[in-house]
């Protein structure tokens, strides 16, 4: 996987696949990307393919980030990437997908490779490291925040 750091505009569209109603993962990704300097358009959960495509044409993001929790990411993700790659305006756009790509989580292991073989630039299974994801997007992982030691706290 090559990172997207060349000419990084810092604009990202974050969304889920059309069948995934989970929102917390999208809020987390938005906050994570913003914390590292990204500008994020969050399309929310259960986003229709056509809306994702029209917003990517409008926003022209550095990358489309798709997160899925319901375990159907490999099914909906394949359909979506085929539509994106068929659109001449979006064909060169970076597209990544991650989360629970199958109902058995990362135990299956083949869904990420299948998604990349069908047009995704990268696929991150649910157990992937966030720093790997951030590095791929060309964002510098932040240093862990130091918490005060219990002895240093005032009562």
């Amino acid at each position: 996987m090559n990172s997207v750091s060349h000419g990084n505009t810092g604009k990202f569209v974050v969304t889920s696949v059309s069948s995934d109603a989970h929102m917390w993962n999208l809020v987390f990704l938005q906050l994570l990307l913003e914390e590292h300097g990204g500008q994020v358009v969050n399309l929310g959960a259960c986003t229709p393919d056509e809306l994702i495509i029209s917003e990517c044409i409008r926003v022209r993001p550095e990358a489309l980030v798709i997160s899925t929790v319901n375990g159907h990411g490999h099914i909906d993700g394949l359909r979506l990437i085929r539509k994106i790659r068929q659109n001449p305006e979006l064909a060169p756009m970076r597209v990544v997908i991650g989360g629970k790509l199958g109902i058995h989580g990362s135990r299956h292991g083949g869904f990420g490779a299948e998604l990349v073989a069908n047009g995704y630039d990268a696929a991150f299974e649910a157990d992937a490291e966030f720093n790997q994801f951030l590095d791929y997007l060309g964002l510098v992982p932040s240093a862990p925040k130091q918490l005060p030691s219990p002895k240093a706290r005032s009562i």
Side-chain angles (χ1 to χ4, degrees):
M1 289 185 290
N2 297 325
S3 86
V4 223
S5 59
H6 306 294
N8 191 340
T9 62
K11 289 194 302 189
F12 301 95
V13 170
V14 172
T15 191
S16 192
V17 292
S18 61
S19 69
D20 198 325
H22 295 87
M23 187 65 189
W24 61 266
N25 53 318
L26 302 176
V27 172
F28 175 82
L29 279 172
Q30 177 178 349
L31 294 173
L32 179 70
L33 293 171
E34 288 175 345
E35 182 178 307
H36 290 86
Q39 298 173 1
V40 178
V41 174
N42 188 337
L43 300 181
C46 293
T47 311
D49 296 352
E50 293 72 25
L51 179 59
I52 295 170
I53 289 168
S54 67
E55 283 300 293
C56 286
I57 290 170
R58 183 184 71 79
V59 173
R60 302 285 181 193
E62 176 69 22
L64 169 62
V65 178
I66 301 167
S67 176
T68 181
V69 177
N70 72 353
H72 299 286
H74 68 286
I75 297 168
D76 293 338
L78 284 173
R79 183 192 66 245
L80 177 59
I81 196 63
R82 288 177 181 137
K83 290 179 181 179
I84 289 170
R85 296 301 181 219
Q86 289 172 356
N87 185 307
E89 292 184 76
L90 299 180
M93 178 180 64
R94 296 282 182 152
V95 184
V96 300
I97 189 168
K100 190 174 175 190
L101 302 176
I103 59 171
H104 298 294
S106 57
R107 288 184 297 173
H108 181 274
F111 291 132
E114 178 184 11
L115 290 162
V116 169
N118 279 278
Y120 281 92
D121 295 290
F124 298 91
E125 297 284 349
D127 57 358
E129 295 289 326
F130 286 117
N131 285 347
Q132 180 186 13
F133 168 71
L134 291 170
D135 182 54
Y136 179 78
L137 292 178
L139 300 172
V140 178
S142 62
K145 294 180 180 167
Q146 296 294 322
L147 299 175
S149 69
K151 295 176 186 176
R153 288 188 291 181
S154 60
I155 299 181

